[in-house]
């Protein structure tokens, strides 16, 4: 007697088909039993491996008949070798979720990064230099991309890496196109000005989308961006405008205080210079000292304002990256698919 692999019924010896369900008894003898392939989930892969890049943090292999399957919204994958911040879910692919709000989480990710102030200072110096400021734009978009893909809990370690300059240059081109749109909208009295202000947040979201999927054309996919934006347009505007307004208030306060100090120093320098030229030559050194102090104060003021601006832009981009992870799982799936295709392109016989 033999047993049917289909229904488990007992079959007479020499039977070709099961008398119970009609299944072939020889088909299972010719081919080994198929064991379902377990789902493999890998955590964060260190950047030291040459075959991987930092954003390829997760590999999910599916059977051919499930290639169209997408992970449900809210799915969390485990990570390996990296500890999350307190109150934060693990990194390593999946939705970036925690109990904190988007902006507070973005701020925590920044200030808990190792050497974040030194990197902000260096980025501020680079932002003052023409052309090199593209690296700054690319770096903050990389910071956003890491949040969107739940790939890295802190600032990227290297500033000049991962084609950040090219990414910043593409973002600069997007800014040029957006600037033209701002000018056109601004021609409409009042309504156009409000519309231009409301457009700034979505433009930043488009840049995060471009960085996440690594495709310049994605920034101009207005239909796809609009469909995602409708899920939380208010939170996108909050991610952009709350840090911006706080930064504007800080800039106004710092500029006022520094302006008073610089004015006093400048008045002293001019007064001492006038006295030195007329009848008190011995005051000429004091004039030189006050002049140097005034110049130093101006340089420090410019650097402080640049640091404040860089920190604001980092928080905005990180917050929008977290927003993408929570509200745009399609973009995350698209980014993972593009990365997997770039790493393992199909062979000619597979196309």
């Amino acid at each position: 007697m033999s047993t049917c692999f289909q229904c488990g019924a007992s079959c007479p010896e020499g039977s070709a088909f099961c008398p119970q369900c009609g299944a072939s008894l020889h088909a299972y003898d010719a081919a080994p039993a198929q064991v379902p392939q377990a789902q493999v989930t890998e955590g964060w892969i260190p950047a030291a491996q040459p075959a991987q890049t930092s954003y390829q943090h997760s590999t999910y292999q599916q059977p051919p008949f499930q290639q169209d399957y997408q992970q449900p919204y809210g799915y969390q994958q485990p990570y390996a070798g990296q500890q999350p911040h307190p109150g934060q879910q693990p990194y390593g692919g999946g939705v970036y979720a925690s109990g904190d709000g988007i902006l507070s989480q973005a701020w925590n990710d920044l200030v808990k990064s190792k050497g974040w102030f030194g990197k902000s200072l260096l980025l501020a110096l680079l932002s003052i230099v023409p052309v090199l400021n593209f690296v700054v734009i690319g770096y903050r978009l990389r910071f956003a991309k890491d949040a969107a893909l739940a790939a890295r809990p802190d600032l990227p370690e290297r500033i000049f890496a991962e084609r950040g300059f090219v990414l910043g240059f593409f973002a600069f081109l997007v800014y040029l196109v957006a600037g033209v749109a701002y000018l056109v909208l601004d021609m409409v009295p009042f309504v156009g000005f409000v519309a231009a202000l409301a457009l700034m947040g979505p433009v930043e979201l488009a840049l995060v989308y471009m960085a996440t999927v690594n495709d310049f054309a994605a920034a101009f996919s207005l239909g796809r961006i609009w469909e995602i934006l409708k899920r939380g347009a208010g939170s996108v505007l909050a991610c952009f405008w709350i840090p911006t307004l706080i930064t504007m208030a800080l800039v106004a306060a710092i500029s006022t205080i520094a302006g008073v100090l610089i004015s006093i120093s400048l008045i002293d320098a001019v007064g001492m210079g006038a006295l030195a030229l007329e009848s008190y030559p011995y005051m000429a050194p004091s004039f030189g000292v006050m002049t140097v102090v005034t110049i130093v104060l101006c340089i420090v003021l410019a650097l402080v304002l640049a640091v404040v601006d860089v920190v604001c832009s980092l928080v905005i981009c990180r917050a929008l990256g977290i927003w993408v992870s929570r509200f745009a799982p399609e973009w995350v799936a698209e980014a993972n698919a593009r990365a997997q295709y770039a790493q393992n392109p199909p062979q000619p016989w597979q196309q």
Side-chain angles (χ1 to χ4, degrees):
M1 299 291 287
S2 59
T3 302
C4 176
F5 291 92
Q6 183 71 24
C7 63
S10 298
C11 305
E13 291 292 342
S15 299
F17 298 93
C18 174
Q20 185 70 23
C21 64
S24 175
L25 301 178
H26 298 292
Y28 294 95
D29 296 333
Q34 298 293 327
V35 180
Q37 182 179 1
Q39 297 180 353
V40 179
T41 304
E42 299 178 0
W44 168 255
I45 300 176
Q49 297 185 9
Q52 300 285 346
T53 56
S54 61
Y55 60 83
Q56 292 167 347
H57 49 270
S58 175
T59 303
Y60 181 74
Q61 300 292 340
Q62 295 174 326
F65 57 85
Q66 293 181 348
Q67 290 296 325
D68 295 332
Y69 171 79
Q70 293 185 356
Q71 296 171 350
Y73 178 61
Y75 176 80
Q76 292 283 348
Q77 291 183 358
Y79 70 108
Q82 205 160 16
Q83 295 296 326
H85 298 320
Q88 176 181 313
Q89 294 295 332
Y91 289 81
V95 175
Y96 186 123
S98 72
D100 297 333
I102 292 179
L103 282 174
S104 60
Q105 185 64 57
W107 173 255
N108 289 334
D109 287 349
L110 174 62
V111 298
K112 290 181 180 179
S113 300
K114 182 179 179 180
W116 72 273
F117 185 78
K119 290 179 180 178
S120 299
L121 182 60
L122 179 56
L123 291 172
L125 293 173
L126 293 175
S127 66
I128 302 175
V129 182
V131 180
L132 285 181
N133 56 355
F134 294 161
V135 177
V136 181
I137 302 174
Y139 184 84
R140 60 184 178 84
L141 289 178
R142 288 164 52 200
F143 192 38
K145 176 181 179 179
D146 288 340
L149 300 179
R152 187 161 38 199
D154 49 11
L155 286 168
E157 182 177 356
R158 299 174 58 191
I159 294 178
F160 295 90
E162 300 178 23
R163 301 177 72 245
F165 179 85
V166 177
L167 182 60
F169 175 73
F170 286 158
F172 171 73
L173 297 180
V174 176
Y175 281 134
L176 288 180
V177 176
V180 175
Y182 295 151
L183 292 176
V184 173
L185 290 174
D186 199 39
M187 295 180 182
V188 182
F190 183 71
V191 177
F193 176 73
V194 174
L197 294 179
L199 189 61
M200 293 181 180
V203 169
E204 292 295 326
L205 180 63
L207 291 177
V208 173
Y209 179 33
M210 177 190 74
T212 301
V213 301
N214 196 26
D215 184 6
F216 174 65
F220 300 96
S221 303
L222 302 183
R224 303 192 66 182
I225 295 174
W226 172 246
E227 288 298 322
I228 298 297
L229 185 62
K230 290 190 296 184
R231 300 176 184 177
S235 56
V236 169
L237 294 178
C239 288
F240 178 82
W241 279 110
I242 291 179
T244 300
L245 293 176
I246 294 176
T247 301
M248 292 172 63
L250 286 176
V251 168
I254 295 172
S255 299
T256 301
I257 297 173
V260 172
L261 296 177
I262 291 174
S263 298
I264 294 174
S265 178
L266 184 60
I267 292 173
D268 290 343
V270 172
M272 291 179 181
L275 291 175
L277 290 175
E278 290 184 3
S279 54
Y280 300 96
Y282 62 87
M283 299 189 68
S286 299
F287 165 70
V289 171
M290 295 308 299
T291 302
V292 172
V293 170
T294 303
I295 295 174
V296 170
L297 285 175
C298 292
I299 294 175
V300 171
L301 174 62
L303 185 57
V304 169
L305 295 180
V307 170
V308 172
D309 180 69
V310 165
V311 170
C312 174
S313 62
L314 287 172
V315 172
I316 290 175
C317 285
R318 185 68 174 186
L320 290 175
I322 298 173
W323 189 94
V324 168
S325 177
R326 296 183 182 181
F327 292 94
E330 300 92 334
W331 292 359
V332 177
E334 180 183 352
N336 290 331
R338 286 173 179 263
Q340 186 174 4
Y341 182 87
Q343 183 182 5
N344 299 308
Q347 301 299 324
W349 60 84
Q350 296 175 332
Q351 296 179 349

